[in-house]
Structure formats: structure tokens, C-alpha cells
Amino acid sequence: MFRRKKRWTDPLIPELMELVGEEHVLYHRSDLIAYECDGFTLVRGEARAVVFPADTGEVAAVVRHLHRKEIPFIARGAGTGLSGGATPLGGEVIISLVRMKQLLKLDLENRTAVVQPGFVNLKLTRSIEGDGYYYAPDPSSQYACTIGGNVAENAGGAHCLKYGVTTNHVLGAEVVLPDGEVIRLGEDGIPDIPGYDLLGLVTGSEGTLGIVTEITVRVLKAPEAKQTILAYFDDVEEGSRAVSDIISAGILPAALEMMDRTAIEAVESANFPVGHPLDVEALLLIEVDGIAEGIPSQSSRIVEMCRRRKVREVKVARNEREAAAWWANRKTGFGAMGAISPDYLVQDGVIPRSALPDVLEKIREISRETGLRIANIFHAGDGNLHPLILFDGRKPGEKEKALAAGSRCLQVCADAGGTITGEHGVGIEKIEEMRLVFTEEELQAQIAIREVFNPDNRLNPNKLFPQPGRCAEVKQERQRTVQGK
Amino acid sequence: MFRRKKRWTDPLIPELMELVGEEHVLYHRSDLIAYECDGFTLVRGEARAVVFPADTGEVAAVVRHLHRKEIPFIARGAGTGLSGGATPLGGEVIISLVRMKQLLKLDLENRTAVVQPGFVNLKLTRSIEGDGYYYAPDPSSQYACTIGGNVAENAGGAHCLKYGVTTNHVLGAEVVLPDGEVIRLGEDGIPDIPGYDLLGLVTGSEGTLGIVTEITVRVLKAPEAKQTILAYFDDVEEGSRAVSDIISAGILPAALEMMDRTAIEAVESANFPVGHPLDVEALLLIEVDGIAEGIPSQSSRIVEMCRRRKVREVKVARNEREAAAWWANRKTGFGAMGAISPDYLVQDGVIPRSALPDVLEKIREISRETGLRIANIFHAGDGNLHPLILFDGRKPGEKEKALAAGSRCLQVCADAGGTITGEHGVGIEKIEEMRLVFTEEELQAQIAIREVFNPDNRLNPNKLFPQPGRCAEVKQERQRTVQGK
């Protein structure tokens, strides 16, 4: 029996198969659809192929090959990113890291873990919680997102108020540079290293400087005890003031989350309702953790501070199950929007904590003016807002209106002395908004840094920074939609 | 009355005077002696002049002028650095920032302070402690060192175990680039910003990327309560194991310091004796802080853990005065070496905590082999060692022997999977040792980053990285001394 030798329309495909194995390359149009975008679904593009390397050597081999052939490429983890960082703009090869999902090393004595980039965030905590440890950064997508993706986006989460974002937990990385060279950054387990902080530079670089193929992270001892407090307010401003009071009092909660009335309606209509009253204007969900003896006094001080701010009701979770239900209700909040709106656009801005009441009022104005409902779910403790703009994509013009409203929310954050992304990244979504917070010179300085690592802009091209060329078209298109509101 | 117009041997001097005022330029050889080195006194060089600008505008004007004339220059704070980062190698203009010492803005609601670079570290805490706040990074030189210098060196301190180093507390900076352009990095008060983390890159860049002229730092609410514990051990290894036990138990002390027998002899012979027994092999000084209710149980657990490790004596400070005396005794430890030795060389290496007993034994071996006493005072909690090599510079060859012993200590740290500096920096001192922890390619990647900011290597030239040219001579000289042991 002879198998007829397949003739390829794209000669790159058999070359990639040579490098990673035939079954680890996708190239059919139907297979590529799933890779047209990441969690930011409003911009889509078609990849040339998707490859699934098994290890660093295969990543480096694929990268060297693409570098020689001058073909652009993008690294991708679970694709849960919310700003289009893993979205192809047309013709890129996607290097998916999902097969590289091993926990390579655990050193609990020195509190470090070494993982491959495709290792799922939550699995790390699951692997070590039996020994009393956990991995702190906890984006809401932690059940699916990968630590490699977390490094690319410098992911945060509800607990970054107390424990910091991903960059505070990454101690070392192996990186494949855009020409295929493999370097190591950081020293495993050593917090400060000599020379420039290249590890910090790569963390949060949104896949534009290199492909991280191995990561050493810090793991923490689980806190001895924790407690969750829930407070309902008839007035958003009073809730915001309670947030300020708590922080000013020197209490550093592990998490301090706020949801407004529209957000509460959504989460109560979705899969994890917990009986929140539907007529309150805001709720605060507060977690304190630490040494067992310290918890009751912290809880009662927080309850007291809420009471001083005209809280309608404030309660402490009666048991772990109740706290877990409250948190599940909060953590699935974005998805819950589907219960009250056909589509939604999540924004991500940061403001100084003291500007919270003002900025929330301005977002309500945008909602009134555009006629679009805007729900707010956010990390109030560190001023990281997530306005969720609800719209119906089937109605002509609504998507554009939503994009414009989102852009205005970011402008409000920038005007308040804040910035345009807290944890979701710039990706393709916010390229234009980079101009709200950086001057042309500052952008050029950043692009000069990219050129050191990625001189041909072949790795994740046309992301993160506004620039001429292909990107200009995308920008123009986005500007048209933004201006078209 | 006519003043005769002065004729300058160096035409640069009147040009600098034009920019910053006549009384703010030093140029007499006798005046320049004080600027021949910083706290690392083993390498000295002569500056061409020292200028004292009053503000960012003057810094930028001086830098632009020197850039045009292709004259190298160095920024300098209080000159307390321990690796020669502010030491001229010959012919540089030193830009001293000590006149720029204002606290520009305090925003306690958002917990930030904006300072000029010459503002002294401890003055920040002194300015806000009345309101219950403090600035966390506390290098032992904090009574003198400046926050600008802290940013350059990414300074640590006894409390960085719990609170992190300078980079964890810097939120924004104004930077004069080596061509005189002024840029701002970071957003005031916003922890995570879009784009590459250039602020993190500049922090710890040892004055080679730009001159920081304004800094926004995070200030913290002072902990509600703290307690200090002192434990004496007859065996260094048992003390090291107690350190591991404490960390493994999930207690995160604010500080966890160790001194060995020789160090104890020194501090007890110097200005702040507290009656430590002179025949113990090690002491641990441990501070816990946080919510008042949590302190007694943490203290008693630490006492218990020390007891399980054959402690000779362990005691809890009876009052704040006693704790303060113990800390003054520790914090002046380096200077105390003068009481038992004519000269000393302080080293600064980092190791994984678990390697502590092994590495200490290897340092004792170096001491035995070289015949030089080595005292150890160090941040045991984060594995940041400070071997103090005692020598008599008047004896021929002893300085060289001490330098060689210091270099061997760093080799031991690197071999143990650690690195060559925890908080003192590379400066001129450890240029050669950079090769112990970085490959040639990794060094080239870092130099490529420097070239983005500092393409002519005119700002603090020949520091931080081994490279050809003038630096090679210095390297050769150092190699000669190291090999000459």
C-alpha cells in the first residue's frame, strides 16, 4: 500500500510538521477559527497555522525556522486574555504552549515552584494546598488561564491588593528570544539580582519580547485563617468612602471588591445567585486573612466602619461554605452579564483610590448619554475598575457605541490621574489609548526597548504600541468606530 | 572696584558655573578629594568637577551641556553606596543631588509621597510617623542615604524580608536621560502600568540609564504593634535551622537577622553594647509586626521554635527601649568592625535560604585558609549574607588578600545557586564577578538595554558591566590583586 504524498498549498506546513510532529500542527481553515481571537472577541484575524511544541527545544526550533523565513508569530496560552494579545491580525503562526503543562519542580523549603508556561494557574495551588501552600495571583479565569499567559500579561486578581500582581511572584524564567536563542532571566529563588531587571521587563510585555518556556514562581504559605465580610449600601459614594476608611485605618484586606446595582442584578440572574438584595446601589465583598488571633478584631473593625458609612446591612460569613458561595458569585461576575445582556464589553482602568466616587459618577454619565447600561465590578481596594458595557451586537451600531463608551471610560480614568489598564493589558484593544497616558517620546523609548529583543517586530507584531504600517489600518478602523458613536 | 576676571585652566568650570551658579561648582583638587570614592573605599579616582544643581531644569541643562561636549558624568546622592557606583574613574563630572532635598508632596489618602532625589531616607519616615505612616525600605545607612541613591541601587534593608526592596515601593519617577531629555516613568500612585516596566528597569540600574530627579514612593501605615525577640545559639547550624523552621511555619517576620561570634565581639566592643554573651556562636534578632492581637502568639511560637533548636537563651524585649537598643546594636554593626580591626571589607551575596549552614561553613573555611577573620552579619530570612572581611591595610598584601577572600565568598554564593549582590550593587567593585552569574550573551543583552538609554556610555561609564576600554585596565588591576593573594 502506498500513501500518496500529500501536496501542500502552503509549503510551511510540512516544515512545521517536521519540527513538532504531524499531529501537532493545525492548518485547516476550520481548525483555525478557534484561534481567530482570544477573550477579546471584537477583533479577529486568521492565523497561518497553529503549532503545539512539546518542549523548549521545539519552541526554539520553530522560532528559528520562522525567523529565518521572516514569518511573524505569536505565543498563546489558554487564550483567556481580554485585550487581544494572542489574536492574529493575519498570517501569523501561533505557537500554542498548552502541551507544555508540567509542574517541573517543587521546592517548598525555599518556597518556589518551576512550571512550564502551559501549566494552569489554579492547578499550582491545587498541587500544594495539601502542604499548606498556595500561589497568590488569582485572575478570575484562574481555572483555565496558564501561568505563561499570566507572565505575559502581568496578571492580577482579587487578591493583588495585599499580595501584588504576577511580577511580584516571578523569580526566574527561561525565554526563547525572537531569533530562537534561549536565555534565562533571574535566579531561581533569589528576589533581587544584579544588573538590569530584564525579568521584570519581560513580565507584562504581552508576548512582544520573547516566549517564556519555563517559569520559577514564589509560592506562599496559606494564611492561618481568613474571614469574608459582605456589606450592602444604598449609595455608591458611601460604599466608596467605606473603602477609603478601611485602607486609611491601616487594615490591608486580602481582597476588597465592589459591585454596583447592575452587576448585582447580573450575578443574581446567573449561575451562582446568593440572595443579594436587588435594590441596593453597591455591595462590598471584603476578605481579611492572616494570623487567627487577628481576624476577629479586623472583621469587627471593618463592620464598624461600614456602619459609620450608612450601610444598609453588613454581615460576616457564618462559615467557609457561605464565604465560598459569595466568592463564586463574584468571580463569575463577568460571565454573568450574559444573563442580562446579549453582549458586553469589559473595560479595565485604574484610578487613585480617592477618585473613586467622582469616576463612578462620570461612568454613570457615560451610561446615561449613550443609553447603554454599564455594570461595575471591580477591585476597589486598589482602584482597578472594570466597567462592563452591556450592548446588543445584533442591533446595528451598538457594538461601535459600546467600544466608544469603553474608550470614554478609559479617558475618564486617565483624566483622574489613572491609567488605561490594570491587569488586562493593551493587546490590540487599547493600542490607541496608549496615547492617553504616554507621550510620543515615551512610546518611542518603549519601542526602542522592544527593538533590543525583537528588532524585526516579528514576534506578536503590531501589538501593544501604536505604530505605522499594518497597525495603522487597525487604528483607523478603530478610530472610525470610536468616532462613529 | 574691578574684580579681575579669573582665567580658568579648565574652560568647563565657568560654563558649569553659568548653569548652576558660581558657588555650586567644586573644582579645586582639595575639594574633589571627598568625591574620590563612595562607601567602597578601595578604588578611587579623580572627578573633573562636582556640580550641585538646584532643580530638574538645572540637572537637564548640565546634562545637555556635558552631552554636547562629550564629557562623561555621574550622579551622586549621599555617597553611602558600598560598591563604588558613585566613584569617578577619572575625568567625570559628578552631579551631586544633595541640594534637591525637598519633600514635594504628601498624599496620605492615596499613601504616596513625592520627594526629590537628595531627600534623606529616614527623613521621610520622620515626616509622617506622627500620622501613623512610614517608608519601608530601611538600609542601615538610612540616617544619611538619599532616596535617589536608594532608587539607583534598589536598596534593601533589614525589613525587606516582609516588605520588599526599593523597587516594590517606587511608583513613579522623573528621569533626566543622558542627552538631557526629561521623561516621566510610572503613574503616580498606580501600581501597574501599561507597556514595558521601564520604571522597574531604571530602579537598580546603578545610575547608568538616567538621573532620577523626582520620585513617587508608596508609604505604609505603621503596623499596629511589633515585638523583638533575641536568641543565642552555641551552634551556627542550629541557628540557621531555627530560621528555616520559622519561615516554614508560615510566620513572616518583619526582620530576621543573624550575627556570628566575631560580629558579636565587634558590636559589643563598639558604641552600642547591649550585653550579648561573647561566647555564643550566633544570635538571631527577630522582629514580628502586625495586628496587636497576633503578636503574642507569633512571639511565643518563635520562642518555642528556637527552643527546639538547642537555643542557649531566648528572650522577648521587655519594652520598646530594649528593642530599640538591640536594633541600634545591630544596625551599626558594619561600623563596629572598626573596634576590632583596622580595616574591613563588607561583602554582599545572596543564597537560597536552605543553603545557609553549608555556605557559612565554606566561609569559615575561607577564613581559616586566608588567616583573615570574617564576621557575618546578615539578613538570614532572605538569605542575604554580609561577610565582613577584617584586615589591616597597613600590612603589605593584606588588602589584596581581603579582596581575594571577598571574591571567594561571592563564588561560594554563586556556586550555591545564589548571586553576587543582594542590595549593595555591582558598581565598580563586582564588575568582574558579574561573569560568575551571567553568560556573555546575557551581559550583551543587558548592555544592549543600556545603549537604548545611554548609547554613548557617557553616564556613569564603565560601571556595572565588564567591557573593553578603560574598564579593562581596572579589571586587570583587580584581577592582579585577586590573583596575587
Side-chain angles (χ1 to χ4, degrees):
Chain A
M1 272 208 345
F2 293 94
R3 241 169 101 182
R4 205 167 59 136
K5 196 154 174 160
K6 191 159 177 178
R7 291 189 52 216
W8 300 92
T9 36
D10 183 351
L12 178 65
I13 305 303
E15 293 163 9
L16 293 173
M17 287 175 167
E18 190 72 30
L19 296 172
V20 299
E22 199 169 325
E23 67 280 31
H24 300 305
V25 181
L26 296 180
Y27 55 93
H28 277 302
R29 276 198 92 157
S30 56
D31 288 331
L32 298 179
I33 289 174
Y35 297 88
E36 279 184 349
C37 66
D38 59 16
F40 175 68
T41 59
L42 299 180
V43 172
R44 291 166 187 271
E46 192 172 301
R48 184 158 170 186
V50 185
V51 294
F52 300 84
D55 53 31
T56 303
E58 288 190 4
V59 173
V62 168
V63 168
R64 274 195 306 271
H65 189 73
L66 296 171
H67 174 67
R68 265 198 307 269
K69 298 227 151 186
E70 302 186 5
I71 295 164
F73 50 99
I74 300 176
R76 182 181 168 111
T80 53
L82 291 167
S83 57
T87 295
L89 298 174
E92 299 95 331
V93 171
I94 290 180
I95 300 175
S96 167
L97 298 156
V98 294
R99 285 177 69 211
M100 293 171 64
K101 57 179 180 186
Q102 299 298 308
L103 173 58
L104 297 174
K105 191 178 154 198
L106 256 183
D107 177 357
L108 292 180
E109 188 175 0
N110 288 306
R111 300 223 182 154
T112 60
V114 182
V115 299
Q116 287 186 311
F119 192 73
V120 168
N121 175 301
L122 188 59
K123 279 186 73 175
L124 182 50
T125 292
R126 292 278 177 267
S127 308
I128 55 182
E129 62 191 354
D131 295 307
Y133 292 86
Y134 78 115
Y135 177 59
D138 62 339
S140 292
S141 59
Q142 68 178 139
Y143 59 90
C145 66
T146 63
I147 292 182
N150 295 168
V151 171
E153 300 295 324
N154 191 17
H159 290 77
C160 64
L161 172 59
K162 181 166 181 177
Y163 293 102
V165 291
T166 299
T167 196
N168 303 118
H169 300 270
V170 174
L171 299 171
E174 178 186 73
V175 182
V176 176
L177 296 177
D179 62 358
E181 194 194 333
V182 181
I183 63 167
R184 291 200 77 90
L185 299 177
E187 292 284 319
D188 290 2
I190 304 295
D192 185 26
I193 55 155
Y196 302 139
D197 184 11
L198 301 190
L199 180 62
L201 195 65
V202 165
T203 306
S205 63
E206 306 197 13
T208 64
L209 299 183
I211 301 179
V212 172
T213 47
E214 199 179 294
I215 306 135
T216 304
V217 295
R218 185 199 315 276
V219 297
L220 300 182
K221 193 83 184 176
E224 208 177 278
K226 50 174 114 172
Q227 183 59 278
T228 302
I229 298 133
L230 180 60
Y232 301 115
F233 292 86
D234 290 316
D235 184 306
V236 174
E237 188 154 342
E238 288 294 320
S240 307
R241 294 202 192 289
V243 170
S244 285
D245 291 351
I246 292 165
I247 303 284
S248 303
I251 298 176
L252 185 58
L256 207 178
E257 304 280 296
M258 194 185 251
M259 286 198 266
D260 71 0
R261 184 173 181 146
T262 308
I264 295 168
E265 182 192 331
V267 294
E268 286 299 308
S269 310
N271 296 332
F272 299 92
V274 292
H276 294 317
L278 297 176
D279 61 340
V280 293
E281 290 301 325
L283 70 74
L284 290 180
L285 190 62
I286 307 159
E287 184 181 292
V288 289
D289 69 6
I291 294 168
E293 289 92 338
I295 300 297
S297 78
Q298 280 192 78
S299 298
S300 57
R301 284 173 69 196
I302 288 171
V303 167
E304 182 49 39
M305 281 184 262
C306 290
R307 289 212 174 106
R308 256 181 277 148
R309 289 295 178 187
K310 302 196 209 143
V311 74
R312 182 197 289 190
E313 186 189 354
V314 54
K315 51 189 180 180
V316 175
R318 281 164 299 183
N319 49 47
E320 270 185 43
R321 226 179 56 198
E322 186 169 52
W326 293 349
W327 277 108
N329 173 282
R330 156 67 188 89
K331 284 218 169 184
T332 52
F334 289 4
M337 296 301 143
I340 62 166
S341 173
D343 296 291
Y344 70 94
L345 170 69
V346 56
Q347 262 309 352
D348 170 44
V350 185
I351 54 168
R353 208 158 33 225
S354 57
L356 208 51
D358 270 6
V359 166
L360 289 176
E361 178 50 34
K362 290 207 172 99
I363 291 176
R364 280 194 296 272
E365 261 172 53
I366 294 169
S367 171
R368 281 193 296 270
E369 284 173 29
T370 57
L372 295 173
R373 298 178 74 193
I374 303 182
N376 284 290
I377 299 191
F378 56 97
H379 311 311
D382 32 29
N384 186 187
L385 301 185
H386 292 311
L388 292 133
I389 298 139
L390 310 185
F391 69 98
D392 184 347
R394 296 162 304 186
K395 291 190 193 161
E398 275 234 332
K399 171 178 146 185
E400 291 69 24
K401 219 180 350 181
L403 277 166
S407 194
R408 284 180 66 193
C409 289
L410 293 183
Q411 178 77 59
V412 165
C413 292
D415 291 348
T419 188
I420 59 162
T421 171
E423 50 187 20
H424 297 175
V426 173
I428 190 67
E429 181 195 15
K430 293 184 183 174
I431 280 182
E432 197 47 42
E433 282 80 6
M434 286 290 268
R435 299 196 194 276
L436 296 178
V437 286
F438 292 114
T439 64
E440 193 57 37
E441 289 69 35
E442 288 165 344
L443 289 171
Q444 286 312 316
Q446 301 212 34
I447 289 169
I449 295 286
R450 183 186 63 201
E451 282 169 2
V452 170
F453 288 81
N454 185 12
D456 310 308
N457 194 14
R458 197 165 289 136
L459 171 59
N460 213 3
N462 305 319
K463 300 286 173 66
L464 194 49
F465 304 111
Q467 54 190 298
R470 193 202 147 66
C471 183
E473 298 159 35
V474 177
K475 260 167 54 190
Q476 279 160 16
E477 190 188 317
R478 292 215 55 225
Q479 276 168 338
R480 270 198 304 279
T481 65
V482 170
Q483 285 153 4
K485 89 176 164 78
Chain B
M1 271 204 350
F2 293 93
R3 243 169 97 182
R4 204 167 60 137
K5 201 161 168 143
K6 192 158 175 177
R7 291 189 53 214
W8 300 93
T9 32
D10 184 351
L12 178 65
I13 305 302
E15 294 163 8
L16 293 172
M17 287 175 167
E18 190 73 29
L19 297 171
V20 298
E22 198 169 326
E23 65 279 33
H24 301 305
V25 180
L26 296 180
Y27 54 92
H28 277 302
R29 276 199 92 157
S30 56
D31 289 331
L32 298 179
I33 289 174
Y35 297 87
E36 279 184 350
C37 67
D38 59 16
F40 176 67
T41 58
L42 299 181
V43 172
R44 292 166 187 270
E46 191 172 303
R48 184 157 169 188
V50 185
V51 294
F52 299 84
D55 54 32
T56 303
E58 287 191 4
V59 173
V62 168
V63 168
R64 273 195 307 272
H65 189 74
L66 296 172
H67 174 67
R68 265 198 308 270
K69 298 229 153 185
E70 303 187 3
I71 295 164
F73 50 100
I74 300 175
R76 182 181 168 111
T80 54
L82 291 168
S83 56
T87 296
L89 298 174
E92 299 95 331
V93 171
I94 291 181
I95 300 176
S96 167
L97 298 157
V98 293
R99 285 178 70 210
M100 294 171 63
K101 57 179 179 185
Q102 298 299 307
L103 173 59
L104 297 173
K105 192 179 152 196
L106 255 183
D107 178 356
L108 292 180
E109 187 175 0
N110 288 307
R111 300 222 182 154
T112 59
V114 182
V115 299
Q116 288 186 310
F119 192 72
V120 168
N121 175 300
L122 189 60
K123 277 187 74 175
L124 183 50
T125 292
R126 292 280 178 264
S127 308
I128 56 181
E129 62 191 354
D131 295 307
Y133 292 86
Y134 77 115
Y135 177 59
D138 61 339
S140 292
S141 59
Q142 67 178 139
Y143 59 90
C145 66
T146 63
I147 293 182
N150 295 168
V151 171
E153 300 295 324
N154 191 18
H159 290 77
C160 64
L161 172 60
K162 181 166 180 177
Y163 294 101
V165 291
T166 299
T167 195
N168 303 117
H169 300 270
V170 174
L171 299 171
E174 179 185 73
V175 182
V176 175
L177 296 178
D179 63 357
E181 195 193 333
V182 182
I183 62 167
R184 292 200 76 90
L185 300 177
E187 292 283 319
D188 291 2
I190 304 294
D192 185 25
I193 54 156
Y196 302 139
D197 185 10
L198 301 189
L199 180 62
L201 195 64
V202 166
T203 307
S205 63
E206 305 196 13
T208 63
L209 299 183
I211 301 180
V212 172
T213 47
E214 199 179 295
I215 306 135
T216 304
V217 296
R218 185 199 314 276
V219 298
L220 300 182
K221 193 83 183 174
E224 209 176 279
K226 50 175 114 170
Q227 183 59 280
T228 302
I229 299 133
L230 180 60
Y232 301 114
F233 292 86
D234 290 315
D235 184 305
V236 174
E237 188 154 344
E238 288 294 318
S240 307
R241 295 202 191 289
V243 171
S244 285
D245 291 350
I246 292 164
I247 303 284
S248 302
I251 298 176
L252 185 58
L256 207 177
E257 305 281 295
M258 193 186 250
M259 286 198 267
D260 71 0
R261 184 174 181 145
T262 308
I264 295 168
E265 182 192 331
V267 293
E268 286 299 309
S269 309
N271 295 332
F272 298 93
V274 291
H276 294 317
L278 297 177
D279 61 341
V280 292
E281 290 301 325
L283 71 75
L284 289 181
L285 189 63
I286 307 160
E287 183 180 292
V288 289
D289 70 5
I291 294 168
E293 290 90 339
I295 300 298
S297 79
Q298 281 191 77
S299 299
S300 58
R301 284 173 68 198
I302 288 172
V303 167
E304 183 48 40
M305 281 184 262
C306 289
R307 290 213 174 105
R308 257 182 276 145
R309 289 297 179 187
K310 302 196 210 142
V311 72
R312 182 197 290 190
E313 186 189 354
V314 53
K315 50 188 181 181
V316 174
R318 281 164 299 183
N319 49 47
E320 271 185 43
R321 226 180 54 199
E322 187 168 50
W326 292 349
W327 277 108
N329 173 283
R330 156 65 187 89
K331 283 215 168 183
T332 52
F334 289 5
M337 295 302 142
I340 61 166
S341 173
D343 295 291
Y344 69 94
L345 170 69
V346 55
Q347 263 308 353
D348 170 44
V350 185
I351 54 167
R353 208 161 32 227
S354 57
L356 209 50
D358 269 6
V359 167
L360 289 176
E361 177 50 35
K362 290 206 173 98
I363 291 175
R364 280 194 295 271
E365 260 173 53
I366 294 170
S367 170
R368 279 193 296 271
E369 284 172 30
T370 57
L372 296 173
R373 297 178 74 190
I374 303 182
N376 284 290
I377 299 190
F378 57 98
H379 311 312
D382 32 29
N384 186 187
L385 301 186
H386 291 311
L388 293 133
I389 298 139
L390 310 185
F391 68 99
D392 184 347
R394 296 162 304 188
K395 291 192 193 159
E398 276 234 332
K399 171 178 146 185
E400 291 69 26
K401 216 179 352 181
L403 277 166
S407 194
R408 284 180 67 193
C409 289
L410 293 183
Q411 178 76 59
V412 165
C413 292
D415 291 347
T419 188
I420 58 161
T421 170
E423 50 188 19
H424 296 176
V426 174
I428 189 69
E429 180 194 15
K430 293 182 182 174
I431 280 183
E432 198 46 43
E433 282 80 6
M434 286 290 268
R435 299 196 196 276
L436 296 178
V437 286
F438 291 114
T439 64
E440 193 57 37
E441 289 69 33
E442 288 164 346
L443 289 171
Q444 286 312 316
Q446 301 213 35
I447 289 169
I449 295 286
R450 184 186 63 200
E451 282 170 2
V452 169
F453 288 80
N454 185 13
D456 309 307
N457 195 14
R458 197 166 291 137
L459 171 57
N460 213 2
N462 306 319
K463 300 285 173 69
L464 195 49
F465 304 113
Q467 55 191 297
R470 192 200 147 67
C471 182
E473 297 160 35
V474 177
K475 260 167 55 191
Q476 280 161 16
E477 189 189 317
R478 291 215 55 224
Q479 277 168 338
R480 271 198 303 278
T481 66
V482 170
Q483 285 154 5
K485 88 176 164 78

